[in-house]
Amino acid sequence: MKRLDTYILVKYLTTFLLALALIIVIVITFDVSEKLDKFISHQAPFQGVVFDYYGNFIPGFVNLYSPLFIFISVIFFTSKMAGNTEIIAILSSGISYRRMLRPYLFGSVIVALLVLVLGNFVIPISNRQLFEFEEQYVKSKTTSYYSNVHFQSEPGVQVYTESYDVRNMRASFLYREVLSPNGKLRQRQAADVAEYDTASHLWRCTGYMLRTVDKEGHEELKFQAQELVDLKIEPQDLDLLSQRIETMNTPALIRHIDRETVRGTGTVGEAKIELWQRLLNPIAIIVMTFIGVAISSRKSRGGIGLHLAIGITLAFGFIVFMKITTVFAINGTLTPFMAVLLPQLVFGAAAVYLIHIAPK
């Protein structure tokens, strides 16, 4: 890297970090003023508020709004360079416009890789700790019971429970039915109460009944007051909070998508959107970087203010476009992959066009 590359790269990263720090301080200040009463009334520990809540809040906030912060940062320091005729001096020295973009590319790739790692592996862990803290100290009522949980654990196997106690891992009126390919009942397990035994990894069923039906239609019933049974389900299958896709790292999210596809639940579309957003959204950082350079590298009478106004308008247009395509994906009009990729392609094409005409 030459001295010019280092100069622009340092400006790129330091301006981004400074803008990020200022916005985080402002957001946390407003959030504290809003939630202070809840922290005090629920006797939240100071250390927990600082590290467990806001320490886990910041990574998710950075990951969500990093393309917007990058965009504003690039426009800010590039407009300042243009206003000081630095860009004119750079181009007059024989360096081409495309060559000047190299440090911008380096900086955007560095931030994009950081966001990729955060979004796929770090933030899911932070989200779980954040949600647990909110359940205990922020929300007025914690969710420890779920009612009418119904799902397909595997093809042809239906599971239903009237209620499930998360803390005690206890299901009331649990039913598991195995169906043949033609939809006829082959086996039915029922229990008045089923508690998960962590030592044996089996369910301790009270009021247990097993009904089996052979191919000829003959039935056999078995009753037990209490028995350890392998129901081929895990406690997390009944715990809806543990299935929040925001708390899963990417390998776990992929397994969740495969399992939910088999179970036939309606959350597969949202999970696929989350997966593709984690994988493709870092590209937006690179795209918004080049759009920001193309807009702000030319000296204008409006100065930084005009460039920021144009840039913020485009940034929010990008965010709105992403929200619209997400709605289309949830409704089934677009595939999750295209819903996430389409805004990147449209604004990527805009970035290529703007970079092409910027030297002129």
Side-chain angles (χ1 to χ4, degrees):
M1 294 180 66
K2 297 184 180 297
R3 184 175 299 177
L4 174 63
D5 298 323
T6 304
Y7 175 73
I8 295 178
L9 183 60
V10 169
K11 277 184 171 292
Y12 183 100
L13 296 176
T14 54
T15 307
F16 168 64
L17 294 175
L18 180 61
L20 200 61
L22 291 175
I23 295 296
I24 288 174
V25 170
I26 294 172
V27 170
I28 289 179
T29 301
F30 281 102
D31 194 71
V32 168
S33 63
E34 180 183 352
K35 294 187 173 67
L36 185 60
D37 292 340
K38 294 182 179 179
F39 290 152
I40 296 175
S41 61
H42 290 88
Q43 298 180 347
F46 177 77
Q47 185 176 359
V49 172
V50 174
F51 296 103
D52 295 338
Y53 185 72
Y54 288 109
N56 293 309
F57 169 82
I58 291 174
F61 183 82
V62 171
N63 179 74
L64 183 61
Y65 294 104
S66 54
L68 177 60
F69 296 149
I70 279 289
F71 194 44
I72 295 174
S73 301
V74 168
I75 289 177
F76 180 79
F77 82 83
T78 306
S79 294
K80 194 172 182 180
M81 289 175 60
N84 295 333
T85 65
E86 293 180 57
I87 292 181
I88 295 177
I90 292 171
L91 299 177
S92 300
S93 66
I95 296 176
S96 67
Y97 189 83
R98 292 186 179 181
R99 173 61 182 85
M100 188 190 72
L101 297 177
R102 184 183 296 178
Y104 289 94
L105 177 62
F106 289 160
S108 62
V109 169
I110 291 172
V111 178
L113 290 175
L114 176 62
V115 168
L116 186 67
V117 173
L118 283 175
N120 287 276
F121 301 101
V122 178
I123 292 175
I125 300 174
S126 299
N127 283 341
R128 172 169 285 277
Q129 297 173 352
L130 180 65
F131 294 153
E132 290 175 352
F133 185 91
E134 286 181 335
E135 288 286 339
Q136 185 174 1
Y137 296 110
V138 178
K139 295 183 178 179
S140 57
K141 183 179 180 181
T142 59
T143 303
S144 58
Y145 289 89
Y146 295 103
S147 301
N148 299 321
V149 180
H150 181 271
F151 62 92
Q152 181 178 252
S153 61
E154 54 186 283
V157 180
Q158 303 288 336
V159 178
Y160 170 79
T161 180
E162 186 175 297
S163 64
Y164 179 67
D165 182 354
V166 177
R167 294 179 180 176
N168 298 314
M169 293 185 289
R170 180 191 298 135
S172 299
F173 299 103
L174 177 68
Y175 303 93
R176 180 178 181 271
E177 295 181 347
V178 180
L179 306 177
S180 63
N182 59 6
K184 292 184 178 181
L185 180 67
R186 288 296 177 219
Q187 185 185 80
R188 188 171 194 261
Q189 295 170 287
D192 294 338
V193 178
E195 294 183 85
Y196 188 73
D197 185 68
T198 56
S200 62
H201 301 288
L202 300 174
W203 291 87
R204 188 178 304 277
C205 297
T206 303
Y208 176 71
M209 181 196 75
L210 173 64
R211 177 189 176 191
T212 56
V213 182
D214 59 21
K215 295 181 179 180
E216 288 74 24
H218 301 125
E219 297 186 11
E220 181 181 349
L221 293 176
K222 174 186 175 182
F223 295 94
Q224 290 289 339
Q226 192 173 85
E227 185 171 348
L228 283 173
V229 182
D230 182 12
L231 296 176
K232 295 182 174 57
I233 58 175
E234 300 293 331
Q236 57 265 28
D237 294 330
L238 303 173
D239 182 4
L240 300 183
L241 178 60
S242 67
Q243 298 178 33
R244 295 184 67 168
I245 56 179
E246 301 95 333
T247 64
M248 303 176 187
N249 59 30
T250 297
L253 181 59
I254 293 173
R255 292 193 297 269
H256 172 77
I257 292 172
D258 294 337
R259 184 180 62 182
E260 294 302 301
T261 301
V262 172
R263 292 169 62 167
T265 61
T267 62
V268 178
E270 294 180 7
K272 288 183 178 179
I273 292 172
E274 174 71 18
L275 174 64
W276 288 116
Q277 284 178 341
R278 293 182 185 183
L279 297 177
L280 298 179
N281 275 358
I283 300 175
I285 294 174
I286 302 174
V287 171
M288 301 308 282
T289 294
F290 284 114
I291 293 178
V293 177
I295 291 174
S296 58
S297 58
R298 182 176 180 178
K299 189 174 182 179
S300 64
R301 292 182 179 180
I304 296 178
L306 178 61
H307 291 158
L308 284 176
I310 297 173
I312 292 174
T313 302
L314 286 174
F316 279 103
F318 179 74
I319 294 172
V320 171
F321 193 9
M322 290 184 63
K323 295 296 182 182
I324 292 173
T325 55
T326 300
V327 172
F328 278 114
I330 293 175
N331 293 332
T333 308
L334 286 174
T335 63
F337 174 72
M338 284 304 302
V340 179
L341 183 62
L342 189 59
Q344 317 276 1
L345 291 177
V346 172
F347 278 79
V352 172
Y353 173 74
L354 291 173
I355 288 295
H356 177 71
I357 65 173
K360 303 176 183 179

